[in-house]
Amino acid sequence: MFANTLDTLLRYIDRANVFLKWLSYLCLGFILLVMGYEIVLRYIFNSPTKFAFESATIAQVVLVSLGAGYVLREEGHVSISLVTERLPARQSNKLTGITSLIGFFMSAWLTYLLLDSALFSWKREEILETLSIPVYPFKFLLVLGLAFLSLQFLVRSRQYFNKGKN
């Protein structure tokens, strides 16, 4: 029963990362619009904006954070397979499961640290210089993305440990 509940939870995490991928696509669309607007104003009307660079930079960081779990889900991150290629499939799957657990703990620690930073920004009412808007909503989006990356490492670990049993 516990295994079924765990598998159901892991499927929801998997789906949530697919949803977050679409939010990261919205960030990409926003970057394209803002930078296109900046290019037109700067080079055609000789009137650059003050907000384009900072807002595009923030959107890019949020894009990477929200899309990281999905990229892991699709095995799109850069990996070093020198050792795992030489191992039998069963051992390779177990090793990938172990490294995924390590990845979970490392990204969970980073999530905790970023959450602390986001809470600190919220308490201090930290604002962005150019845009004059609060920083903490963007930091909380980063926390969300990193949290789901951490959880996706658990999903991946479970998948590879199950492959290793065969």
Side-chain angles (χ1 to χ4, degrees):
M1 178 164 166
F2 175 74
N4 289 341
T5 305
L6 179 63
D7 287 337
T8 302
L9 177 64
L10 295 178
R11 272 195 306 277
Y12 282 124
I13 292 166
D14 221 27
R15 289 181 191 154
N17 276 310
V18 172
F19 174 73
L20 290 176
K21 170 191 77 166
W22 291 105
L23 290 179
S24 69
Y25 284 170
L26 287 175
C27 289
L28 180 60
F30 175 77
I31 293 169
L32 293 173
L33 288 173
V34 166
M35 294 314 292
Y37 182 73
E38 171 67 15
I39 289 168
V40 168
L41 285 180
R42 178 180 295 268
Y43 295 107
I44 295 176
F45 296 110
N46 198 25
S47 178
T49 65
K50 292 183 179 182
F51 68 89
F53 179 73
E54 191 170 47
S55 60
T57 302
I58 291 166
Q60 183 180 7
V61 171
V62 171
L63 177 153
V64 169
S65 176
L66 293 179
Y70 178 77
V71 173
L72 180 64
R73 177 186 186 268
E74 298 298 315
E75 299 289 337
H77 287 286
V78 175
S79 63
I80 300 170
S81 57
L82 181 68
V83 174
T84 56
E85 284 177 349
R86 290 178 165 75
L87 293 174
R90 187 174 179 173
Q91 291 175 337
S92 175
N93 289 331
K94 285 183 181 181
L95 183 60
T96 304
I98 291 167
T99 58
S100 294
L101 279 178
I102 294 168
F104 163 74
F105 287 113
M106 290 177 66
S107 57
W109 177 249
L110 289 174
T111 303
Y112 168 76
L113 293 175
L114 188 56
L115 177 61
D116 188 48
S117 174
L119 291 170
F120 183 73
S121 293
W122 184 26
K123 288 176 187 174
R124 289 198 59 224
E125 298 179 1
E126 185 180 3
I127 61 167
L128 295 167
E129 286 182 35
T130 307
L131 299 174
S132 297
I133 59 174
V135 174
Y136 68 86
F138 303 108
K139 286 189 176 184
F140 281 117
L141 284 173
L142 298 179
V143 169
L144 176 71
L146 268 178
F148 274 95
L149 173 63
S150 301
L151 294 171
Q152 190 65 39
F153 270 118
L154 281 181
V155 171
R156 184 175 189 242
S157 179
R158 174 84 172 175
Q159 290 169 343
Y160 276 95
F161 280 135
N162 284 342
K163 284 183 188 178
K165 290 178 183 176
N166 299 333

